[in-house]
Amino acid sequence: MRAALIDTTGRLALTEHPEPTAQPGHQVIEVSSAGIGPTDLMRAKGFFGPIGAPYVPGSEGVGRLDNGQRVYFGHSKAPFGAIAERTLVAEEEIWPVPDDLPDDQLIALAISGTGALIPLEEAKIARGESVLILGATGPVGQIGAQIARLLGAGRVVAAARNRERLEAMQAAGHADAIAILGEGDDDAALKAVADGGFDVVLDIIYGPPAEAAMRATRPGARMMSIGVQAGPTVALTLRDLVFRSHVGVGTGQRPAGERRAAYGRLIDMAVTQGLTVDTRRHDFADATQAWAAQAGSPHGKIIISR
């Protein structure tokens, strides 16, 4: 079968790859679309450890089982992955999906969607509270801004470096105000739109922007951190933290049943309340270009379809 393959140097190329065969507790899936996310790029760069052998990348996708059932899948069994004609997946990571949502939305609402939903649910947003989405222009941020509103936020502020995409979020009604980061004083930029202080921060990027965000909160605030794109550490004083909480939230490490239930809630939001996310689609034959696009500008969800 044809598949994308990451070699030991981290480079991707389309090539022939052995077919997966059914194993106990796993099923073969005919892949229709695959998603590429930041984690896939980090793995190919050796962030999680040396690349010991060539493997097929792509951590999630949509396809069909032998009986024709349409499903979402994640966490293919190594060395198989989503960017291939077929893949092998553990049964607990195969979730039936409705026919009234397209592949790109089903993929975007899974890893990215649960990455936004779980921390915002755990923050227990009270009706009318002010929510800051830090690192808002990627898929997690786009979804998080909409979820915050659906969970009762009275005011949603989107902050990131990309002015154009932030303005698009505001024009779509997903954000009431925006803050441009990286143009000088992030503390001042966030405080200027804080309206007295944020109650909840969904922090997707960590590092210095998270420090500035915490200083723009009010007493009782909850910062929920889920990513490290802007740096793996923060430096906060005790004064910054008084009467505030800062939680590192893990989503992908949770049991499959918990993640599947969260995904079900997201699907319901998409079907009944219009939750959506921007995506960029590429043909399977253009997988190398899609990989480069995600590496160069990781704002929309990259989808590779056959």
Side-chain angles (χ1 to χ4, degrees):
M1 68 171 182
R2 295 288 287 172
L5 201 68
I6 297 289
D7 65 21
T8 54
T9 69
R11 287 179 292 189
L12 179 144
L14 280 176
T15 185
E16 291 297 318
H17 191 271
E19 292 269 357
T21 57
Q23 299 178 14
H26 295 72
Q27 293 197 51
V28 174
I29 296 175
E30 184 81 18
V31 179
S32 59
S33 297
I36 303 175
T39 301
D40 299 307
L41 300 178
M42 292 165 70
R43 182 182 178 191
K45 292 177 180 177
F47 184 86
F48 301 111
I51 303 170
Y55 70 92
V56 179
S59 54
E60 59 180 336
V62 170
R64 294 191 181 273
L65 302 177
D66 288 342
N67 63 7
Q69 184 179 24
R70 187 173 182 235
V71 296
Y72 166 83
F73 65 89
H75 304 287
S76 298
K77 182 177 176 62
F80 301 104
I83 310 177
E85 293 178 334
R86 282 164 290 282
T87 189
L88 183 68
V89 184
E91 291 175 349
E92 66 179 6
E93 300 288 352
I94 300 172
W95 307 337
V97 292
D99 289 329
D100 51 357
L101 285 178
D103 285 5
D104 66 317
Q105 295 301 298
L106 290 169
I107 294 170
L109 291 171
I111 292 177
S112 296
T114 54
L117 178 66
I118 289 174
L120 286 173
E121 286 182 333
E122 293 185 350
K124 300 186 184 305
I125 298 171
R127 186 158 298 279
E129 284 192 316
S130 176
V131 177
L132 170 65
I133 310 297
L134 191 65
T137 52
V140 179
Q142 292 177 39
I143 296 170
Q146 296 171 74
I147 290 173
R149 189 91 72 193
L150 294 174
L151 293 179
R155 187 167 182 267
V156 177
V157 176
R161 289 175 174 266
N162 190 306
R163 180 184 295 273
E164 181 180 356
R165 294 193 64 84
L166 286 172
E167 290 175 345
M169 289 181 68
Q170 189 172 19
H174 300 326
D176 300 296
I178 60 174
I180 314 300
L181 303 178
E183 293 190 346
D185 188 342
D186 286 351
D187 282 68
L190 291 172
K191 288 177 181 177
V193 292
D195 194 25
F198 300 109
D199 299 293
V200 172
V201 179
L202 176 62
D203 164 34
I204 304 163
I205 54 177
Y206 213 53
E211 299 168 11
M214 182 63 85
R215 289 190 285 268
T217 60
R218 59 166 51 99
R222 293 86 72 198
M223 177 182 283
M224 317 300 286
S225 294
I226 61 172
V228 294
Q229 295 177 26
T233 61
V234 297
L236 292 166
T237 68
L238 181 58
R239 182 178 180 180
D240 295 329
L241 293 169
V242 168
F243 299 121
R244 294 157 174 83
S245 59
H246 184 192
V247 181
V249 184
T251 54
Q253 304 91 338
R254 299 187 180 216
E258 185 177 347
R259 289 183 281 109
R260 180 173 178 174
Y263 186 52
R265 297 194 293 277
L266 287 159
I267 294 296
D268 182 67
M269 289 178 182
V271 172
T272 65
Q273 300 183 76
L275 177 63
T276 187
V277 63
D278 293 339
T279 63
R280 290 179 290 168
R281 305 184 194 187
H282 295 258
D283 290 336
F284 181 72
D286 298 326
T288 52
Q289 291 92 327
W291 187 262
Q294 175 69 335
S297 182
H299 295 297
K301 189 76 176 181
I302 297 289
I303 307 295
I304 298 175
S305 298
R306 292 180 54 229

